[in-house]
Amino acid sequence: AAAAAAAAKLPPSVASSGSAILRVSRVVAALLTFDVEAARREETEAAGNALAARGAGHFDVIPPEDHPDVEAERRRRRKSMGRAIQSFADELNPVWAALGDACTVLEPQIAAAAAVAAASSRGGTAAPALPAGARQIQPVVEAYFALASAINDASKRVAPSTNAAPAGEPGRNPSISSPDRNGVRGGSEEGLVASNAASSLNADDRAAFGLARVTSPAFGLARSATPAAGASTGSGRGHSTVASAAAARSADLAPVAEEEAEGAANKDGPGGVTSVWNFANEHRSVVNALIRSQPGLLDGSLRLMMEKPRLLDFDNKRLYIRGKLKRLAEREQMRGSHHGPVRAQINRKQVLTDSFMQLQHLKPAELRGRLTIQFSGEEGIDAGGVSREWYMLLARDMFNPDKALFELSPSGDGAYQPFGNSGINETHLAYFKFIGRIIGKAVYDGYLVDAHFTRPFYKHMLNIPLNYDDMEAFDPDYHKSLVYMLEHPLEESGLDYLTMSATADYFGMETVVDLIPDGRDVSVTDDNKLEYVNLVAAHRMTNAIKEQIAAFTEGFNDIVPHEIISILNPSELELLISGTPEIDIDDLKNNTEYTGYTTSAPQVRWFWEVVKDLSEEDRARLLMFVTGTSKVPLDGFKALQGISGPQRFQIHKAYGGGQRLCSAHTCFNQLDLPEYNTKEELKDRLLFAIREGSEGFGFG
């Protein structure tokens, strides 16, 4: 109320200033945090009084009592605060409308600046200049997001306080705390590393399937087994990552139950969370340009963007990740965790074996430190060039068929996956963990590695559920049978006998595996068959290599904590590890075949005009969307491979109207392009597909 009154008294000339709006909005947003912390101090004081009254010792802990009346008062205060913040945001509706108009004017200027920067940098990383008008509206954008964050926090309630178990207590890992609905964990970032994946597989075999309904310590940090309603983002995740002091405080807030939310702030109202996300989606180029010029906004006023990471451009995500890793290194240095440089003398003829023998026993903190490579019999000093060559040779050696660790994907796209029979080497899991650490080390140090994995493998690294569409690149016929099952009633197709289980072959013995708890006793129906096809597809793709995936992911997360990369989708993770390839659009165009279209069709002409104007990142996304990998064949696109051998890039006419999105069949390098009416419509649908479709859209 005081902040709103102060805003009303501001002179018109000042009230119209973006900076003034931002200052007042920050005061209003801060009131919510103050209210939460004040309530916590009151409870702590009450607990201390109870401690003294009972004559307890100095080190005894008595948790505050959660009396129903106290909890009701908490809810009443938060609802009241939320409504007050919402009212303040509503009063600024004319400002938000004007902000949208200003962004519409700025968007062509930002696009032109980006084109100039791309042309001048010649593939470099020069950031485009920010138009003067963008600086003027930045405080208003920050205010919009700050108020929405406060309204979002007001829709949560203070979670009951619990006392952490003492260090060393049985059954508790002191370095890993429970996640909240936003994927934020207590404790420091550097403590966020994977638990022992291999040892957890027996406890929950389904963990290796990467299913959203399973808490899976086998794949990085466990996520919530049952995401809260509305928590799922457009990128397919049921979590998000927020890294800031304010976000850490909001981790103490739990979602309000539906019956409790009545009378609370309206997150979908003007100035609410939904309104801000719609604004960010509509004016994505402006919001990302502001973040690009000032990355710290993601830890401050624009922290709400971290709950919808799909709205962030890849270069901003990459900068955010680099910043987090840099701060992690600085904290380790301050604590003295970093050791002296590690030196390794490697024989070029056995790069993987030598590296494994000399580096596998290092602790994660040691491996994150300075690593100096020297090749046997050579006098070259490692100032960066030797390390780059070492990573290149190591990647080549780990994919060597003689090592029996990885094999090419059946889709023929040149991507790799763990070899199902790698167990012929008794130490294969140790090798997978080591390779995961080395890939993580490359990301940590900013090196690129020529290592391209299958899309399901990247999904496992990100703890994203697999779905039946991922099966197409592995077994097109089985994928067709799953699609038929979804499109026809089970009784009609004669599949009404199925249960939520699958069979697995263990050394020649057929075993029934439950896809859900007691799945062999749960019938598949037309209502739950979508879940069944996703689960059975994940089982068939993953069962034979679950231990290898778990070991690799554990090693990677030893070096790069899972929370830091969880904002990425699979195609972006590939770009982070392997870099952006140089894609010759003319070569791609000259090696493209058409079905249903001719080269003179307007849709084909618009397509190539749009592709030519794409950024390097979006070109790589397009290539991964259609072929399954962003890797460019060494001999150019004439050597592009499909599931049955050489298979050129395909563009097929997709029937059914221009409202459809583009779709792809990676095993055939095929893009299904609907008959759009305008170039702008084609560009909009194509960009949405390649940016958001890397995780699969599911059926329908």
Side-chain angles (χ1 to χ4, degrees):
K9 293 179 181 179
L10 288 172
S13 60
V14 178
S16 62
S17 164
S19 297
I21 293 174
L22 175 58
R23 285 197 298 270
V24 176
S25 298
R26 281 177 171 164
V27 171
V28 173
L31 291 176
L32 179 71
T33 301
F34 176 80
D35 185 66
V36 173
E37 294 180 347
R40 187 181 293 112
R41 282 195 294 270
E42 291 174 5
E43 293 170 11
T44 303
E45 185 177 351
N49 293 337
L51 203 74
R54 299 181 192 183
H58 182 69
F59 293 102
D60 292 337
V61 176
I62 299 178
E65 297 180 3
D66 287 319
H67 193 276
D69 292 341
V70 175
E71 181 62 26
E73 176 61 17
R74 286 180 189 159
R75 291 199 298 269
R76 187 197 66 77
R77 290 171 62 179
R78 297 202 63 74
K79 288 179 181 178
S80 177
M81 179 66 70
R83 287 194 298 270
I85 297 174
Q86 180 73 67
S87 297
F88 181 77
D90 291 348
E91 291 298 320
L92 293 175
N93 258 346
V95 177
W96 311 143
L99 177 62
D101 294 339
C103 289
T104 301
V105 173
L106 279 171
E107 281 163 356
Q109 301 176 35
I110 289 175
V116 170
S120 61
S121 63
R122 298 179 182 272
T125 58
L130 195 65
R135 288 291 183 199
Q136 294 174 2
I137 68 167
Q138 178 175 331
V140 187
V141 174
E142 290 189 60
Y144 199 9
F145 275 85
L147 285 175
S149 296
I151 294 170
N152 188 42
D153 290 344
S155 68
K156 306 169 186 176
R157 62 178 170 80
V158 179
S161 55
T162 56
N163 294 308
E169 181 179 323
R172 183 70 178 262
N173 185 342
S175 67
I176 302 178
S177 59
S178 300
D180 73 349
R181 72 189 285 259
N182 287 331
V184 181
R185 290 170 175 265
S188 58
E189 237 170 43
E190 58 270 22
L192 301 176
V193 295
S195 57
N196 191 319
S199 64
S200 66
L201 288 171
N202 293 333
D204 185 1
D205 231 20
R206 298 179 62 235
F209 299 156
L211 305 176
R213 60 186 293 162
V214 177
T215 300
S216 174
F219 295 99
L221 296 173
R223 64 167 50 173
S224 172
T226 308
S232 179
T233 71
S235 61
R237 296 175 176 82
H239 77 299
S240 60
T241 304
V242 183
S244 66
R249 288 193 293 270
S250 70
D252 293 322
L253 304 175
V256 179
E258 188 173 346
E259 62 272 14
E260 295 175 350
E262 185 179 355
N266 180 14
K267 294 197 296 180
D268 295 332
V273 179
T274 303
S275 172
V276 165
W277 280 334
N278 287 337
F279 166 82
N281 187 48
E282 184 177 355
H283 304 291
R284 177 172 178 160
S285 62
V286 176
V287 175
N288 276 278
L290 293 175
I291 294 171
R292 194 171 291 114
S293 67
Q294 194 174 333
L297 290 173
L298 288 177
D299 287 330
S301 303
L302 270 58
R303 63 183 174 86
L304 198 61
M305 285 288 287
M306 300 305 296
E307 295 195 23
K308 291 285 186 183
R310 70 180 184 84
L311 297 175
L312 290 170
D313 289 346
F314 173 66
D315 63 321
N316 280 331
K317 293 182 182 181
R318 183 171 52 197
L319 279 174
Y320 174 83
I321 290 171
R322 296 304 312 159
K324 288 296 176 186
L325 293 176
K326 182 179 179 181
R327 285 194 284 275
L328 174 58
E330 289 170 350
R331 278 195 295 272
E332 288 189 338
Q333 263 188 333
M334 290 176 62
R335 292 199 315 267
S337 301
H338 267 311
H339 299 72
V342 175
R343 300 181 184 276
Q345 188 164 2
I346 306 298
N347 186 335
R348 283 181 177 271
K349 295 182 179 180
Q350 48 185 30
V351 174
L352 179 60
T353 303
D354 269 16
S355 302
F356 176 78
M357 296 302 295
Q358 296 184 46
L359 304 175
Q360 66 158 325
H361 300 298
L362 295 178
K363 296 178 180 178
E366 292 177 303
L367 199 53
R368 279 194 289 260
R370 174 74 185 279
L371 175 61
T372 302
I373 301 296
Q374 183 174 10
F375 289 112
S376 300
E378 301 179 18
E379 298 181 359
I381 298 176
D382 189 3
V386 178
S387 288
R388 278 193 294 272
E389 186 178 5
W390 174 68
Y391 279 118
M392 180 191 72
L393 296 174
L394 197 61
R396 188 182 302 168
D397 205 13
M398 72 186 191
F399 292 135
N400 187 336
D402 294 338
K403 296 293 191 290
L405 293 173
F406 292 91
E407 63 180 347
L408 284 167
S409 163
S411 65
D413 58 10
Y416 286 88
Q417 64 184 20
F419 181 44
N421 293 321
S422 64
I424 58 175
N425 179 353
E426 293 182 357
T427 59
H428 71 127
L429 293 182
Y431 267 96
F432 276 107
K433 182 177 179 179
F434 172 73
I435 291 171
R437 282 187 167 191
I438 293 301
I439 299 295
K441 167 72 172 170
V443 170
Y444 186 86
D445 288 343
Y447 287 104
L448 298 175
V449 181
D450 187 18
H452 296 266
F453 302 104
T454 61
R455 184 179 302 180
F457 191 83
Y458 291 119
K459 282 190 170 185
H460 281 304
M461 291 180 68
L462 294 169
N463 209 4
I464 295 174
L466 303 184
N467 61 51
Y468 73 93
D469 272 336
D470 295 314
M471 174 61 71
E472 185 178 22
F474 288 80
D475 190 338
D477 292 333
Y478 187 68
H479 175 261
K480 287 179 182 178
S481 70
L482 295 179
V483 173
Y484 182 87
M485 178 180 174
L486 291 173
E487 294 177 343
H488 297 82
L490 292 177
E491 187 175 359
E492 176 185 312
S493 55
L495 297 173
D496 50 350
Y497 64 89
L498 292 172
T499 63
M500 284 287 189
S501 61
T503 56
D505 185 14
Y506 290 102
F507 300 102
M509 295 181 60
E510 195 172 84
T511 307
V512 177
V513 177
D514 290 324
L515 299 177
I516 63 174
D518 301 319
R520 67 193 70 187
D521 299 322
V522 179
S523 297
V524 178
T525 67
D526 287 323
D527 292 330
N528 65 13
K529 64 183 180 181
L530 176 58
E531 180 183 20
Y532 169 78
V533 298
N534 284 332
L535 291 171
V536 75
H539 169 77
R540 287 188 60 146
M541 287 186 288
T542 308
N543 186 60
I545 55 175
K546 58 189 177 184
E547 291 183 341
Q548 294 93 318
I549 295 172
F552 180 98
T553 307
E554 181 190 359
F556 184 87
N557 289 335
D558 278 347
I559 308 302
V560 180
H562 179 269
E563 255 71 358
I564 293 180
I565 61 164
S566 63
I567 61 174
L568 301 173
N569 62 37
S571 61
E572 291 170 338
L573 180 56
E574 181 177 34
L575 295 180
L576 183 71
I577 292 173
S578 305
T580 305
E582 292 187 10
I583 299 174
D584 187 337
I585 298 302
D586 291 331
D587 181 40
L588 178 61
K589 183 178 179 180
N590 292 334
N591 289 282
T592 296
E593 298 174 349
Y594 304 91
T595 300
Y597 283 122
T598 64
T599 54
S600 60
Q603 289 78 14
V604 171
R605 183 162 35 85
W606 295 336
F607 173 80
W608 291 115
E609 289 173 1
V610 168
V611 170
K612 194 166 186 178
D613 290 338
L614 291 180
S615 66
E616 290 292 340
E617 286 81 6
D618 280 335
R619 289 182 182 182
R621 286 192 182 100
L622 172 64
L623 192 59
M624 185 174 188
F625 181 74
V626 179
T627 69
T629 178
S630 64
K631 185 176 183 179
V632 177
L634 291 177
D635 294 330
F637 287 104
K638 65 181 180 182
L640 199 61
Q641 297 291 308
I643 194 166
S644 302
Q647 179 71 69
R648 292 195 175 189
F649 196 85
Q650 308 281 315
I651 295 181
H652 287 217
K653 179 186 285 188
Y655 297 93
Q659 294 303 311
R660 292 184 54 188
L661 288 173
C662 302
S663 58
H665 305 274
T666 57
C667 52
F668 304 116
N669 302 326
Q670 176 181 324
L671 175 68
D672 290 343
L673 183 67
E675 202 169 4
Y676 296 119
N677 295 319
T678 66
K679 178 181 175 180
E680 290 69 26
E681 187 180 42
L682 186 150
K683 179 179 180 180
D684 179 68
R685 300 288 194 275
L686 179 65
L687 287 176
F688 187 90
I690 66 175
R691 288 173 176 172
E692 320 302 341
S694 60
E695 295 169 21
F697 292 104
F699 180 65

